[in-house]
Amino acid sequence: MAKNDYYATLGTARDASADDLKKAYRKQAMQFHPDRNPGDKAAEAKFKEVNEAYEVLKDEQKRAAYDRYGHAAFENGGAGAGGFDFSQAGGLGDIFDQMFGDFMGGRRGGGGGRATRVGGDIRANIEIDLTEAFFGTKATIKVQTRVNCDACDGTGSEGKDRAASDTCTTCGGMGKVRAQQGFFLVERSCPTCGGTGRVIRNPCRVCHGAATVPRERSLQITVPSGVEDGTRIRLTGEGEAAGAGGQAGDLYVHIAIRPHQIFQRDGATILCRVPLRISQAALGGEIEVPVIDGSRAKVKIPAGTQSGEQFRLRSKGFSVLRSAARGDMYIQVAVETPQHLTRRQRELLEEFEQEATQHAKGSPEAEGFFAKMKEFFDGKS
């Protein structure tokens, strides 16, 4: 039976570029894939023709031979001739991978069409102090995970024989099964083989063929300086084991930072609220404040400082992640009204109040407010 022209099979011109050939192949493969045409022998035959054509034309040397000799170039057992091995063509999921794999960032194995078995990701939470976040720290965490079974060396097979398995009949060795839902094909791991594509003949008596067993692990992690509340650290390969030579999952450590009793943090900026006595605010002076790194800094308070005013200390703030720089620290003063006065304090304040009443210019904000209040009531009369 005469074969169709490979270019005609893909629906392209003979001078089509490699990119045009790939686009044509994807379109035809999606249209005639057996998963989308169950029981349609004609579609299956067309799908095989499309794959055979693309297998030849995507290779520069094979394409050159075909352009020169036609099908005769492969009549003696060359690539593209003879039977078509459907199991090696890859399923509809592989076609999606070709089109969207890089975009989706999936972790799939190369060749063979079967996905690489990957262990599950796990999450751990730790809580640290603000000073630990400033300096960085090391922390030991305990996680419940799955590790390779020691009894079968992670093979899942009694006797540690990796070859003692058969192709899964449910998924045909692909490791995944698909179900039609409306216009979409939903793909999931095969429930029979767990995504390996193989079924253990003689399962391990300890892990029952799972190749992994539950266990608690202790890990020491390094928390870098400058981390923020909610930072997530990824430890590649520290998640659940996959067994059967698969790839371990990842561990994600989520960091929470406890509130500090003195400092408040906003990114690399630190705010410290410092109370001032009325006399300090009025007369001015110098105060000493703590710094997050354990040192002390002196702040000059001008005479007449009002409650809520801030003073900036450059490079006294928080550390910056992956940088030697530091943010700034702001000192916000709060003028405190004294309570439980002694007799002498009350006498002095009463004397001060008399002077302040006679010389209101010493309190410009109060003078302005009462002047506006007078205008307000005068306007009512």
Side-chain angles (χ1 to χ4, degrees), residues 230-343:
T231 295
R232 187 182 72 170
I233 298 177
R234 176 184 176 185
L235 301 179
T236 304
E238 295 293 351
E240 292 185 346
Q247 177 183 343
D250 299 332
L251 169 62
Y252 292 90
V253 181
H254 292 250
I255 299 173
I257 301 176
R258 287 186 287 269
H260 197 274
Q261 59 182 354
I262 295 177
F263 304 111
Q264 291 183 349
R265 178 189 179 189
D266 182 10
T269 300
I270 287 182
L271 176 67
C272 180
R273 290 186 172 89
V274 179
L276 286 183
R277 297 188 300 275
I278 290 179
S279 56
Q280 286 179 301
L283 300 175
E286 192 174 71
I287 61 173
E288 193 174 67
V289 296
V291 182
I292 186 68
D293 59 14
S295 63
R296 302 182 183 189
K298 291 185 177 181
V299 180
K300 187 176 181 179
I301 303 297
T305 294
Q306 301 299 309
S307 187
E309 286 192 34
Q310 293 185 351
F311 302 92
R312 180 181 183 182
L313 301 179
R314 295 182 182 274
S315 300
K316 295 293 185 181
F318 215 79
S319 50
V320 179
L321 188 64
R322 301 186 193 88
S323 173
R326 282 180 63 175
D328 298 331
M329 178 178 177
Y330 286 86
I331 303 300
Q332 185 179 62
V333 297
V335 180
E336 188 176 28
T337 302
Q339 299 177 342
H340 310 297
L341 300 174
T342 66
R343 180 178 297 179

Side-chain angles (χ1 to χ4, degrees), residues 3 16 32 37-38 40 44 76 88 105 126 139 142 150 154 161 163 180 188 221 251 254 271 295 298 314 332-333:
K3 290 186 177 182
F32 296 108
N37 304 274
D40 189 338
E44 182 177 341
N76 294 323
Q88 298 300 318
I126 64 170
K142 292 184 178 181
D150 293 331
D161 186 1
Q180 186 85 33
R188 60 186 176 87
I221 65 168
L251 169 62
H254 292 250
L271 176 67
S295 63
K298 291 185 177 181
R314 295 182 182 274
Q332 185 179 62
V333 297

Side-chain angles (χ1 to χ4, degrees), residues 215-229:
R215 185 175 298 171
E216 183 180 76
R217 293 182 61 200
S218 292
L219 295 170
Q220 186 179 70
I221 65 168
T222 299
V223 179
S225 63
V227 295
E228 296 194 34
D229 188 70

